[in-house]
Amino acid sequence: QVQLVESGGGSVQTGGSLRLSCAVSGASYSSFYMAWFRQAPGKEREGVAATDRRVTTYADSVKGRFTLSLDSTKNTLYLQMNSLKPEDTAMYYCAADRANWLLLPKYTYWGQGTQVTVSS
C-alpha cells in the first residue's frame, strides 16, 4: 500500500517562501506519476504541479514561483514555493497514480495534506 505524508506547511507573509515535502512509502515514487494539489475553503481542489519524472507541468497561477523536484535517495517529492501570495493560502496535498492525470484530481493515492497560510 502506497502512503504519502506531507510536511513543511506553515504561516508566512506575502513574498515569503516555503518548501513542502512528500515522503513516499510502500513503493518507489519512480513507479508513479506524482503531483501537488491544493484546496482552499469553499473551492475545488486545484492541480499545482505534476511530473512524469521527465516533464513537469505547472498551473499558470504558480509558474515561475513554484518548483517541483524529486529526491530518489529519500523517495521524496518537494514543492519549493517562492514569492508567496495570499491567494496561495490552501491545504496542499501530494498525490500519486500509475496513470498520468497531469493536473486533474483523479489520482488514486493522496496524502493527508499540509496547511499553507500566506498573510498580507
Side-chain angles (χ1 to χ4, degrees), residues 1-4 23-28 32 34 96-98 109-110:
Q1 180 71 14
V2 176
Q3 289 189 325
L4 308 175
V24 182
S25 62
S28 170
F32 298 90
M34 305 288 300
D97 202 300
R98 297 190 187 277
Y109 303 101
W110 294 85

Side-chain angles (χ1 to χ4, degrees), residues 43-56:
K43 294 189 176 181
E44 294 186 352
R45 192 163 293 191
E46 171 191 23
V48 174
T51 183
D52 65 1
R53 298 178 296 285
R54 293 178 300 168
V55 177
T56 300

Side-chain angles (χ1 to χ4, degrees), residues 2-5 21-32 34 69-78 94:
V2 176
Q3 289 189 325
L4 308 175
V5 179
S21 299
C22 172
V24 182
S25 62
S28 170
Y29 76 74
S30 62
S31 301
F32 298 90
M34 305 288 300
S69 62
L70 301 161
D71 186 334
S72 60
T73 64
K74 298 181 179 180
N75 213 28
T76 298
L77 180 75
Y78 299 100
C94 176

